[in-house]
Amino acid sequence: MKKKCILSVRRIINASSMKIIVNDTELDLHSGARVRDAISRYYKHAGRKVPKRLPVAEDKFGNIVAPDGALTDGNTLFILSGRKKRTRIVRMIIILIAAGLISACSSLRYSGTSPAAEKQTIVTSPAGRQAVIFAVNDIHAAIDNFPKLAWITDSLRAIYPDMLLVAAGDNQTGNPVNDQFPEKGFPVIDLMNATGFNLSTVGNHEFDTGPEGFGTLTEKAHFGFICANVTVDSHPGVRITPYKIFTLPNGLRLAFLGLIQLGQNGIPDSHPANVRGFSFRSAFETAPEYLWLKDSSDVFIALTHIGFEDDVKLAETMPAGIDLIIGGHSHTRVEKEQIHNGILITQAESKLKYGTLIKLAVSSDGTVSRSMQLIDVRNSKNENPAIREMVDKYNDNPVLNEVIATATDDFSSSGELGYLMADAQRDAAGADIALMNPGGVRIDHLAKGPVTIKDVYQLDPFGNELVVTKLTGTEIYSLLHAAWPVDENHPVYPSGITTEHSVDAEGNLKVITVLTEDGLPVDKSRLYTVAMNSYMTQVYNYEHADPGQSLFFTTAEALIRYLKKQGNVRSYRGETRVKIAR
């Protein structure tokens, strides 16, 4: 049997990097890296081509982790081979069949039946007063799945009228229809209101709308935002409370405590400008201060956005008190009950693909029994028609057709567009140099005239984040040499420098010459600030001391900002920043 490829993320004190160990090989990832970045770096370091379709990854607890899941200190991942994936699927099917034959425990089957028909499949709950929660996390503006979510929650409310609907953070960011809406982020809040959400914790991407935007969204939300380890210092319009207590009609009191992830720089994974005026503390230092909530409630729940691995750490380090952790941030699909130190921990991947149905029963002596079931939202055959109408209206909104600039000339090659993208990234990062990989330029022509947001996302559809690194001239040469074979013998598109690649008769790279905009050679001992996308930082194997720091916005967002600032985009016709000499 093949062994799993072990990836372990460890804390690096006073550093902006994360150390990843893959099969005893230590690798650096930039702060803010995702699961896909770890997988890509592993393949490139091993001298293997990164698969176009990334393999499935699991954490050390057997949960599948989505490629865009966040990495935090202490994580461990396992890359599964194709054979292992098939074995796992077969094993799951056998388990599900066996579970269906032996027990109907917590069974709700969404097969297009009516709420009344589904009600017949419910098994009597344990004795005691009951509370039911439906939880999602990391919605990331996936508005197209809201009609299905609403139908499922409506069906569940027909069975459990007092059910609470909660979100574990990162409701925002990931869909231009929402992210570029005139009132940025409002479509998701509007749909959450209409679907009947009761509560959300604060995720790192809640700050992407900026303090003023976030404040407006908290005012327009019909549900509360909670987070105990954030303090609002200078933005009184941002409505965040540390916790929320719900009293159900049957008298049960449910206390929810909110917690958010902090990166190694002491703030959530967001651009520093977005969190000015907020103070943050460690979730692990903050949580014990709220154990008194257990005495003020029948059930104490942590609604967190710190990642599954840190949820386990929280469970294992907390004194007795928390009954349930509903988590987010790592995009972890928890399909079977995960109980650590007597605490049930749940998470439902991301983007409303799944939700978790949680049942709690409190006996007369105060004992809390818990169960969970992962519900497939994405593949539901039914939708709430009113929510579908809202989504269609937002999708028909001319946001993507918004004209953000005017091209004064045709862009007639991927090179010209690559230079534009590099210029935008250099400007957004305030860097000396920016580099754009040729494979990341997805169109090779843009007509003179209006440039829309849709044009930007056709040009740059990948959602890679902008990363800033400090590299010496020698390290820049190393990067350019490493990029040549990865990019199929094509030079990267630069801003701030020009390059000449000398090749032999067979096309093998011999030497690279790098000049500044002044025509002077790049100083090999000088330290330059270099911007590039997160994909490049992971797949290029080059010498570098600084792994880089994500700015926590995408390269597409950088280009949109740049185009809006430019207004009239100058001609790039005939511009040559790279040469190949034979």
Side-chain angles (χ1 to χ4, degrees), residues 65-291:
V65 185
D68 58 358
L71 293 171
T72 55
D73 294 336
N75 288 175
T76 299
L77 301 178
F78 298 91
I79 298 176
L80 303 183
S81 67
R83 186 179 199 179
K84 184 68 177 179
K85 284 190 285 185
R86 289 191 296 272
T87 301
R88 187 182 190 279
I89 291 170
V90 171
R91 186 172 68 245
M92 286 179 56
I93 291 173
I94 293 172
I95 291 172
L96 290 173
I97 292 173
L101 292 173
I102 297 171
S103 171
C105 178
S106 301
S107 60
L108 254 185
R109 308 186 193 284
Y110 293 94
S111 56
T113 58
S114 67
E118 288 178 339
K119 189 172 182 178
Q120 298 174 11
T121 68
I122 301 299
V123 176
T124 303
S125 300
R129 292 178 293 172
Q130 186 182 43
V132 177
I133 301 168
F134 195 77
V136 297
N137 57 276
D138 298 276
I139 294 173
H140 284 296
I143 67 172
D144 292 317
N145 280 337
F146 264 93
K148 296 179 179 182
L149 173 71
W151 187 87
I152 288 173
T153 54
D154 288 347
S155 299
L156 289 168
R157 288 189 181 109
I159 304 166
Y160 310 110
D162 304 320
M163 182 185 78
L164 298 178
L165 178 60
V166 303
D170 273 9
N171 309 314
Q172 297 294 336
T173 306
N175 181 350
V177 172
N178 176 77
D179 303 345
Q180 303 301 325
F181 193 75
E183 189 174 358
K184 184 175 180 180
F186 178 70
V188 164
I189 297 298
D190 194 23
L191 288 163
M192 291 177 75
N193 287 341
T195 307
F197 274 81
N198 301 100
L199 189 65
S200 176
T201 196
V202 177
N204 52 293
H205 283 289
E206 261 60 71
F207 294 98
D208 288 354
T209 55
E212 292 75 19
F214 185 24
T216 299
L217 295 181
T218 62
E219 291 175 356
K220 294 195 172 183
H222 298 168
F223 51 91
F225 284 88
I226 59 171
C227 189
N229 60 323
V230 60
T231 301
V232 182
D233 298 326
S234 57
H235 303 292
V238 181
R239 299 180 179 180
I240 303 173
T241 59
Y243 62 91
K244 173 75 173 179
I245 298 177
F246 292 92
T247 301
L248 302 182
N250 61 11
L252 279 182
R253 294 164 300 167
L254 275 62
F256 290 82
L257 177 70
L259 297 169
I260 192 172
Q261 162 269 351
L262 302 184
Q264 292 172 317
N265 55 2
I267 64 174
D269 288 345
S270 184
H271 193 281
N274 292 337
V275 295
R276 289 175 183 166
F278 299 91
S279 299
F280 301 91
R281 299 176 58 211
S282 162
F284 301 100
E285 294 175 0
T286 303
E289 298 174 3
Y290 287 86
L291 280 173

Side-chain angles (χ1 to χ4, degrees), residues 262-330:
L262 302 184
Q264 292 172 317
N265 55 2
I267 64 174
D269 288 345
S270 184
H271 193 281
N274 292 337
V275 295
R276 289 175 183 166
F278 299 91
S279 299
F280 301 91
R281 299 176 58 211
S282 162
F284 301 100
E285 294 175 0
T286 303
E289 298 174 3
Y290 287 86
L291 280 173
W292 59 268
L293 284 171
K294 179 62 177 176
D295 297 326
S296 302
S297 62
D298 299 294
V299 182
F300 184 16
I301 302 164
L303 187 62
T304 73
H305 193 81
I306 62 177
F308 189 85
E309 302 274 354
D310 277 351
D311 281 333
V312 173
K313 178 181 176 183
L314 178 67
E316 292 177 343
T317 57
M318 281 287 286
I322 291 179
D323 300 296
L324 167 68
I325 297 175
I326 300 171
H329 187 56
S330 56

Side-chain angles (χ1 to χ4, degrees), residues 336-350:
K336 57 185 179 181
E337 289 191 357
Q338 292 275 354
I339 298 177
H340 299 268
N341 197 26
I343 300 171
L344 177 66
I345 304 175
T346 73
Q347 197 173 147
E349 199 173 308
S350 63

